[in-house]
Amino acid sequence: MKPREPLADTGTAGLRDSLAGEAHVPGDPGYDEARTVFNSMIDRRPAVVVQCAAESDVVRALGFAREHGLEVAVRGGGHSVSGMSLSEGGLVVDLRRMHAVTVDRDNRTARVGGGAVMSDLDRATQPYALATTGGRVSTTGVGGFTLGGGSGWLERKFGLACDNLLAADLVTADGGRVHATADENPDLFWALHGGGGNFGVATSLTLRLHELPVMTMMLLIFRPEDGPLAVRTYRDLLDSAPDGAGGACIYLTGPPEEFVPEHLVGRLACAVLVTYAGPEAEARDVAAPLLALHRESELVTEIPYADLQCMLDDPPGQRNYWSAEYLDSFPDEAVAAFCSTASSMPVPSGSQHVLFPLGGQAAREPSGFPLPWRSAPWGVHPFGIWGTEAEDGPGKAWVREVRAAVRPWANGAVYLNFIGREGQERVVAGFGEENYERLAAVKARYDPENVFHLNHNVKPSVAVV
């Protein structure tokens, strides 16, 4: 639907005057920049984008949306690959100006603004040799990432991001302000451990931090035909590795970097990334079976965690199509299926064909949170990125091919942060049916009219929590 023409004359001026931040409507110099998201497949024109600078701006924006009957979308700091942080003809609550991070070194906590991205958090905690589980790139939004569960390089050591969530401040659809902890509004606090943005606008999160004095990464590059052996070796290594070990197997287009041999630049390559929460000498001992394999090149170094987070960043403006499957087992047949589908990946492109290990602390944390995928030992993530609309067809087909190839070993659960709009059945699978019913009851309490529906949506019910 098109923006309502009278909107600018019936209150936009008053809205602007009441904000600490700014509001943009079509025609404003900053409007197109304000409505542009990471995924260039998404091209929507909201009636107004409210760039909030304070919690009071969020309250005012939601009130304005109610007054004018505008659909509400909430934009944190990150990718919005599915485009659900934009509303065609509606109002966007844009939190990106609310990105401050305050570190309490003594209590090992960080208070993070709702619009912060991972680099904001990681750079703030790095001087204290502290960290918490973050996304695998620096441009991930902390809010959406954490409330969706939060899977990252440190999850085997420190648990998922939401396991480290200590408190959250939300603005609800009616403009109310709610503080949630394990003791205060515990039903909402439980729901925020995977339930995403269904219950309100998260203006700040308080996260537990952990000591991380040194981090080691190893990036080993193999020819694609040597990929199956490398993947099997990595699988066997992770089966008995300490919690500090993590990483991924990644088929990708060889980047033009010094550590990538010329014959693989611009062509399909298999990379094995080993991350280790500890010094290089220990990491080498853990990764000895991999280091014994013939490889084309390697990069092994101790590295600040904040710098590791930047290694796989992709620039905005590409076309993105992602999905995932979580596997109960990863036998040799599954390895073969995973590796064979790399040949269909768009090359050259920014696409990545990824295998992540789970387990460790992420699997040992309380299972009562609505995250059934956390018990899976492996996750397969076809991460489709390309440049032109003409590539959409084959690129999307490759993502679906990957899912189909590994489905015989999949448990049906899915980390919703890794997928776009794949239907309500997949949403329920992301939480589990019993958890979904409980989430729906919490939703009915905090957002009975489903104002916050532009997400992996939980529909409100009248069930009793």
Side-chain angles (χ1 to χ4, degrees):
M1 79 184 161
K2 295 181 179 179
R4 302 178 182 185
E5 293 183 4
L7 182 59
D9 299 328
T10 59
T12 304
L15 174 64
R16 294 182 200 270
D17 291 342
S18 68
L19 296 172
E22 296 183 4
H24 295 285
V25 299
D28 286 353
Y31 173 76
D32 282 333
E33 182 178 357
R35 74 180 183 89
T36 300
V37 294
F38 182 84
N39 184 1
S40 65
M41 284 186 183
I42 310 303
D43 183 18
R44 298 196 181 117
R45 298 184 63 82
V48 57
V49 178
V50 180
Q51 295 186 320
C52 301
E55 190 177 65
S56 59
D57 287 354
V58 177
V59 175
R60 181 70 185 98
L62 293 175
F64 187 85
R66 289 195 304 274
E67 293 166 16
H68 296 275
L70 299 174
E71 183 180 46
V72 172
V74 180
R75 182 172 187 178
H79 298 140
S80 186
V81 167
S82 63
M84 290 187 283
S85 66
L86 291 180
S87 171
E88 184 71 30
L91 179 142
V92 177
V93 179
D94 185 344
L95 301 176
R96 286 176 294 169
R97 295 189 178 196
M98 300 173 64
H99 59 78
V101 178
T102 303
V103 177
D104 183 335
R105 181 179 187 175
D106 293 336
N107 291 313
R108 296 183 188 172
T109 63
R111 190 171 188 270
V112 185
V117 296
M118 211 55 63
S119 61
D120 296 319
L121 174 59
D122 296 335
R123 295 300 177 189
T125 61
Q126 188 74 51
Y128 306 106
L130 297 172
T132 194
T133 302
R136 293 178 174 91
V137 296
S138 69
T139 51
T140 300
V142 177
F145 170 77
T146 302
L147 300 183
S151 171
W153 302 129
L154 296 176
E155 66 191 356
R156 285 173 47 85
K157 181 70 172 178
F158 301 137
L160 302 176
C162 71
D163 298 331
N164 294 287
L165 178 65
L166 300 175
D169 292 298
L170 274 71
V171 177
T172 55
D174 61 2
R177 304 185 192 201
V178 180
H179 185 66
T181 69
D183 298 318
E184 186 176 352
N185 299 304
D187 60 333
L188 176 60
F189 188 65
W190 170 84
L192 297 177
H193 288 71
N198 272 285
F199 314 100
V201 181
T203 55
S204 74
L205 305 176
T206 300
L207 301 173
R208 180 187 298 111
L209 303 177
H210 306 266
E211 290 187 1
L212 188 64
V214 62
M215 190 84 186
T216 301
M217 60 79 60
M218 300 182 178
L219 186 63
L220 312 181
I221 307 296
F222 298 86
R223 294 178 300 172
E225 56 266 36
D226 296 327
L229 175 59
V231 173
R232 289 195 302 269
T233 304
Y234 179 80
R235 175 202 61 190
D236 295 344
L237 184 156
L238 263 291
D239 281 345
S240 58
D243 292 352
C249 295
I250 312 168
Y251 281 91
L252 76 173
T253 299
E257 301 287 350
E258 290 184 4
F259 61 86
V260 178
E262 186 175 349
H263 65 276
L264 288 178
V265 172
R267 298 184 177 181
L268 184 67
C270 178
V272 176
L273 174 65
V274 178
T275 60
Y276 186 75
E280 181 180 332
E282 291 181 10
R284 286 186 175 275
D285 286 343
V286 170
L290 276 169
L291 295 172
L293 299 180
H294 172 76
R295 52 201 178 276
E296 301 299 296
S297 66
E298 69 177 50
L299 177 63
V300 181
T301 184
E302 292 183 2
I303 184 173
Y305 174 66
D307 292 345
L308 171 66
Q309 290 284 72
C310 301
M311 281 190 53
L312 295 178
D313 282 359
D314 284 296
Q318 297 287 295
R319 300 176 73 82
N320 285 253
Y321 186 79
W322 307 354
S323 195
E325 292 288 347
Y326 283 76
L327 314 184
D328 281 336
S329 63
F330 194 55
D332 288 351
E333 294 83 1
V335 172
F338 170 77
C339 294
S340 66
T341 51
S343 63
S344 303
M345 187 179 77
V347 175
S349 76
S351 298
Q352 297 173 12
H353 183 33
V354 187
L355 172 76
F356 290 125
L358 284 82
Q361 189 64 20
R364 288 194 296 269
E365 286 285 344
S367 59
F369 295 141
L371 299 165
W373 51 270
R374 72 183 302 155
S375 62
W378 297 98
V380 170
H381 180 27
F383 184 84
I385 305 176
W386 46 84
T388 66
E389 187 175 356
E391 298 170 272
D392 286 357
K396 290 180 178 181
W398 165 68
V399 171
R400 297 184 185 114
E401 178 189 356
V402 173
R403 286 190 57 200
V406 300
R407 195 167 292 136
W409 302 276
N411 61 21
V414 61
Y415 176 38
L416 295 175
N417 280 353
F418 272 173
I419 73 171
R421 297 175 183 266
E422 296 185 2
Q424 191 64 14
E425 287 187 4
R426 283 279 270 177
V427 172
V428 175
F431 303 124
E433 291 187 9
E434 291 185 9
N435 289 325
Y436 182 87
E437 292 178 4
R438 184 177 173 187
L439 289 167
V442 177
K443 175 80 168 181
R445 183 174 301 173
Y446 291 94
D447 184 20
E449 297 181 4
N450 204 14
V451 170
F452 302 113
H453 62 267
L454 291 177
N455 45 43
H456 291 298
N457 192 231
V458 175
K459 295 177 172 61
S461 76
V462 295
V464 177
V465 178

